[in-house]
Amino acid sequence: MRSCVESDRWGLLGVDTDTGDEAREEIEHVSFCRICNAACGVRITTRGERVLQVRGDRDHPLSRGYTCPKGRALPAFHHDPRRLDHPLLRRRGSLVRVGWPYAIGDLATRLGEILVDAGPSSVAYYMGTAVAFDTCGYWATQAFFEALDTPQKYTCATLDTPAKLLVSELMSGFAGLHPIPDIAGCRMLLLIGTNPVVSHGHLSGFTNPVANLRKMARQGDVWVVDPRRTATALGATRHLAIRPGSDAFLLAFLVRELLTEGADRDYLAAHADGLDSLRSAVAPFDLDRTVGATGLSAEEILDLLAAIRRHRRLVALSGTGTTMSAAANVSEWLLWALQIVTGSFERPGGAWFNPGFVNRLDRVEQWQHEEGHVEPGPASRPELPRRRGEYPCAGLIDEIEAGNVRALFVPGGNPIAAFPETDRTIEAFRRLEVLVVGDVLENEIVDLATHVWPCTGQLERADLSGVMEFYRLAVIGQLARPIVPPVAERRPIWWCFDQLAERMGLQIRPPGFRGELEAGSDESLLSILSGGRLDLSSLSTAKMLDDPPVGWVEGNLLRGGRWRLAPEALVEQLRTLQPAPERVLIPGRQLRTMNSALRDVSAEGERQDVALIHLAPEEAERMGVSEGDRVRVRSAAGELVGKARLDECMGTGAVWIPHGWLDPNVCRLTSTKQEVDPLTGMVLQSGVAVEVELEPW
Ligand code: SF4
């Protein structure tokens, strides 16, 4: 077998796939996986155009040989018979195959008519997770809609992450910070509502989770606070099975007590404003109240407090268990407050902030601070907050129903598996005059499309570790080159938008880019997008900074070098914090799926995930439910039916249903109107009150 660090630069035009691969020799390519933000280094074996195997790259400085089942499923995903190969257009109710010039021309004409009739705000996009791992596709989507000058921008960031962006913005003046553990020095890691062994982090990429968690546990303590005894909890120093939806009570108590004993007073004097307001805000959260709200014993709570005091510094990370709940904002705020009060940010053993390898935020000379600026939501939902130029997804369906949005682009996302009120979402999408879906695989959103763009998968295009780089465990840069040429008429998303823009007379190409679909065009676009600062050819193997820059947030980003400890809006949300209902829904990820992707694809010999309704066995028994029974789950917003799984790892009062599935689709239990966070417009999906009953046959 030949080894190939610098893969050939494949031409980007479609090829005849009958290439007699059997006669060819095997080649091993060095690359990195872009299914999730862990960005594991991989070795990919091909023979001709056949992708044979993906395995971990032991020489990769960050992942060191680790891969998860999703990464190893890439060959099966690439060769999946449901891959989209040709542009499709809906005619008389059916999708029919057309050529690219016709597909782009028809779309340009129909969009042009809508724009003349209703203006730019009648055209919207929804960007899902997949496009966040496609640097050029992400750029092109943004550039096209900037050129169109429409405010109708919706992304998955408002579905499960807005609390993290909001807290970062309100406390630092910049929404893009995310605490990264100093793994080599961390002696106290607190994980709340997150299960990185399975999810590989939330927003952040928690690469090689078991090895990294073991290392931190050997150095000190890893505490997991989660209603479920998750895979992460099983290996932790200590697991607290908290009542679902009550994390903020525990965190408020910890901050309150640490302000009395355990705070880093020198750090607070030098780097924090709002200490008195924070102290007042958490004052009502005494031990009795915390015990009552969390269901934890006083001993458990005090043990956690003692562990933090003993280690003095800590890293505290959250996941969808908290970030999709009613207390998302206050929980995230208190996690940050905990780390600031203990002087843990940008100090050895605490958390640091990744400035990115490509973007190098530590070299920004003059920061333009974001001040938590809020604008009204879209016309049909003005009460929803528009932040950072983006409307919450909760408003999109209303906008379609009101006739305000008539054309929608969905590059790399699946709103049917991610938006609340599934039936209403499907009906709204059916009403659209234009629904453009750019995807790699047939799925339920493709079924509704008027125009389908068959897109290149990650093995068919070049990419750089850019868009999500601030959320990685290391400052690392790597170029992934195309491993195989695109099959049939698959095209990169950037090219689709570029062609459409050209037909519509819009200019989106950056200076110096010709927009030709030819060998190396992805790479030249990446070079331009990275400001020409990087020698991309030197990044065909990963480059990682051994000593990441630390101190740039305090030294340069923060106004006067000071955190804002008590943003008013968050203080007010904490003041009105309510205990969680008795039985609630908690969401979660699975090991073998990435949201709705890879639901039914796996590497050879590996199994697939299934979506079941997980219940605590003793609670199930009281309901008369046995393993495998069909149960009905109801919330105020809707209901679903699925098979019960009696799960010894479940805490009482919690009903766990993984998201990203159609049956059961957990989004049926959520609503765009009844349970929406007022500060971010996020639809609540964690801590939602539910009832469960046995479904009669
Ligand atoms: S954790 Fe899995 S999906 Fe994520 S980058 Fe690594 S191999 Fe890919």
Side-chain angles (χ1 to χ4, degrees):
M1 179 166 63
R2 213 151 53 85
S3 183
C4 181
V5 170
E6 298 211 13
S7 310
D8 297 339
R9 296 183 190 194
W10 293 95
L12 283 171
L13 297 173
V15 295
D16 178 356
T17 53
D18 182 15
T19 50
D21 288 344
E22 289 69 23
R24 302 205 180 171
E25 67 175 318
E26 291 184 5
I27 299 177
E28 187 176 75
H29 310 258
V30 176
S31 189
F32 70 98
C33 175
R34 286 155 279 155
I35 295 173
C36 87
N37 201 31
C40 299
V42 290
R43 300 251 168 176
I44 305 173
T45 309
T46 58
R47 185 190 294 124
E49 274 88 48
R50 195 84 203 156
V51 184
L52 301 175
Q53 188 193 39
V54 167
R55 62 186 178 85
D57 180 359
R58 290 187 188 284
D59 297 329
H60 194 270
L62 179 60
S63 57
R64 301 203 173 278
Y66 176 84
T67 53
C68 82
K70 296 186 286 294
R72 296 193 295 272
L74 272 170
F77 190 63
H78 177 71
H79 294 294
D80 193 306
R82 295 163 303 165
R83 281 292 300 266
L84 295 163
D85 285 339
H86 303 283
L88 303 173
L89 193 61
R90 188 166 298 279
R91 282 212 190 110
R92 291 185 209 91
S94 302
L95 286 171
V96 296
R97 178 176 160 180
V98 293
W100 271 111
Y102 190 86
I104 295 290
D106 181 84
L107 179 55
T109 303
R110 289 165 72 171
L111 276 180
E113 289 166 1
I114 292 172
L115 287 168
V116 166
D117 191 38
S121 63
S122 57
V123 184
Y125 74 61
Y126 165 72
M127 270 203 281
T129 309
V131 85
F133 301 112
D134 174 359
T135 307
C136 297
Y138 181 86
W139 160 80
T141 310
Q142 300 276 22
F144 180 81
F145 279 84
E146 283 300 313
L148 215 52
D149 197 22
T150 170
Q152 299 278 12
K153 299 172 184 172
Y154 303 82
T155 77
C156 57
T158 62
L159 291 175
D160 65 358
T161 318
K164 295 197 170 189
L165 306 181
L166 178 74
V167 166
S168 174
E169 182 175 343
L170 294 181
M171 296 185 84
S172 77
F174 173 56
L177 294 181
H178 191 276
I180 306 292
D182 164 25
I183 290 171
C186 178
R187 288 180 168 70
M188 177 71 201
L189 178 66
L190 175 61
L191 300 170
I192 295 205
T194 185
N195 181 15
V197 169
V198 164
S199 67
H200 298 88
H202 174 246
L203 186 60
S204 59
F206 208 111
T207 314
N208 203 346
V210 172
N212 281 320
L213 289 169
R214 273 197 189 131
K215 181 170 170 47
M216 288 184 272
R218 274 198 302 272
Q219 292 167 176
D221 283 310
V222 174
W223 285 64
V224 171
V225 177
D226 201 304
R228 296 172 61 219
R229 199 166 69 249
T230 59
T232 305
L234 286 172
T237 319
R238 191 86 180 261
H239 169 223
L240 303 186
I242 195 168
R243 183 174 293 149
S246 65
D247 313 281
F249 287 87
L250 175 65
L251 291 166
F253 170 77
L254 293 172
V255 172
R256 173 190 138 123
E257 295 303 307
L258 286 164
L259 285 173
T260 307
E261 182 194 334
D264 185 333
R265 298 196 187 285
D266 291 343
Y267 180 84
L268 287 174
H271 296 295
D273 290 327
L275 188 57
D276 289 342
S277 300
L278 177 66
R279 189 177 280 115
S280 305
V282 296
F285 295 85
D286 60 17
L287 186 59
D288 283 349
R289 188 177 177 194
T290 307
V291 168
T294 61
L296 299 171
S297 69
E299 189 187 10
E300 288 175 308
I301 294 168
L302 293 174
D303 280 355
L304 174 57
L305 176 63
I308 296 172
R309 282 180 172 151
R310 190 167 62 248
H311 293 296
R312 300 165 65 113
R313 289 185 183 140
L314 84 159
V315 182
L317 302 174
S318 63
T320 53
T322 61
T323 64
M324 297 177 90
S325 74
N329 305 326
V330 292
S331 299
E332 196 64 25
W333 162 44
L334 293 167
L335 276 179
W336 281 52
L338 206 53
Q339 293 169 96
I340 295 169
V341 164
T342 51
S344 300
F345 278 165
E346 300 196 297
R347 295 290 185 277
W352 58 287
F353 299 95
N354 192 330
F357 187 94
V358 177
N359 292 280
R360 292 308 299 255
L361 298 180
D362 55 317
R363 293 177 182 164
V364 172
E365 286 177 10
Q366 190 69 44
W367 280 91
Q368 300 292 320
H369 290 111
E370 299 153 339
E371 302 291 346
H373 182 61
V374 190
E375 295 169 277
S380 62
R381 296 291 302 274
E383 82 285 6
L384 292 173
R386 180 180 190 233
R387 292 184 183 273
R388 295 173 290 281
E390 195 177 307
Y391 290 140
C393 288
L396 178 55
I397 302 309
D398 292 273
E399 281 294 272
I400 298 171
E401 288 174 344
N404 298 334
V405 167
R406 293 166 54 180
L408 175 67
F409 285 71
V410 182
N414 185 352
I416 306 302
F419 275 32
E421 302 169 68
T422 312
D423 294 336
R424 188 175 154 228
T425 299
I426 291 171
E427 272 317 301
F429 281 23
R430 284 205 175 107
R431 291 174 55 167
L432 286 163
E433 291 164 53
V434 169
L435 174 57
V436 186
V437 175
D439 216 316
V440 292
L441 209 64
E442 289 170 13
N443 61 23
E444 48 276 9
I445 184 70
V446 169
D447 291 343
L448 299 172
T450 58
H451 297 73
V452 179
W453 290 347
C455 294
T456 45
Q458 65 169 275
L459 302 182
E460 299 165 305
R461 57 177 167 77
D463 209 342
L464 194 60
S465 46
V467 177
M468 299 286 282
E469 63 175 358
F470 313 117
Y471 310 116
R472 299 219 170 100
L473 290 182
V475 180
I476 188 165
Q478 187 167 2
L479 174 71
R481 290 208 163 103
I483 300 299
V484 286
V487 170
E489 294 184 276
R490 299 174 193 169
R491 297 287 185 269
I493 285 180
W494 70 257
W495 180 87
C496 304
F497 276 114
D498 180 81
Q499 292 293 298
L500 182 61
E502 192 164 49
R503 285 295 283 266
M504 295 177 68
L506 300 171
Q507 167 53 36
I508 67 167
R509 273 178 213 157
F513 184 60
R514 295 189 303 124
E516 298 292 329
L517 191 65
E518 59 191 4
S521 51
D522 284 6
E523 211 168 310
S524 59
L525 180 54
L526 287 167
S527 176
I528 291 167
L529 294 180
S530 58
R533 293 184 300 273
L534 299 173
D535 171 13
L536 294 191
S537 62
S538 71
L539 294 177
S540 50
T541 54
K543 298 278 178 299
M544 189 168 100
L545 300 192
D546 290 334
D547 294 309
V550 174
W552 62 274
V553 171
E554 195 178 290
N556 195 15
L557 190 158
L558 298 179
R559 300 173 199 82
R562 302 177 77 80
W563 299 98
R564 293 179 173 181
L565 266 179
E568 259 175 50
L570 301 175
V571 169
E572 180 56 22
Q573 274 206 324
L574 184 64
R575 196 183 63 75
T576 54
L577 183 67
Q578 297 295 320
E582 190 184 335
R583 178 167 296 113
V584 296
L585 170 71
I586 54 174
R589 289 221 166 101
Q590 294 170 294
L591 184 61
R592 296 166 187 83
T593 58
M594 179 65 185
N595 301 327
S596 65
L598 300 167
R599 286 181 304 211
D600 39 18
V601 180
S602 60
E604 204 177 321
E606 298 201 27
R607 63 191 175 88
Q608 295 171 2
D609 283 328
V610 288
L612 301 170
I613 296 168
H614 292 239
L615 303 167
E618 65 278 9
E619 286 195 313
E621 195 179 324
R622 281 200 294 276
M623 298 169 197
V625 172
S626 304
E627 176 78 19
D629 280 348
R630 286 173 67 75
V631 292
R632 184 171 292 270
V633 184
R634 282 199 184 87
S635 71
E639 58 186 46
L640 57 79
V641 175
K643 269 190 184 173
R645 172 81 210 277
L646 274 47
D647 184 349
E648 298 284 350
C649 296
M650 292 294 297
T652 51
V655 178
W656 185 73
I657 306 175
H659 60 228
W661 295 82
L662 290 187
D663 188 17
N665 186 342
V666 70
C667 298
R668 291 185 182 280
L669 301 174
T670 62
S671 159
T672 64
K673 293 196 173 141
Q674 289 167 14
E675 299 201 73
V676 177
D677 176 63
L679 287 184
T680 61
M682 180 189 72
V683 170
L684 309 188
Q685 195 170 304
S686 180
V688 173
V690 289
E691 291 170 6
V692 183
E693 64 183 27
L694 185 64
E695 176 75 350
W697 289 102

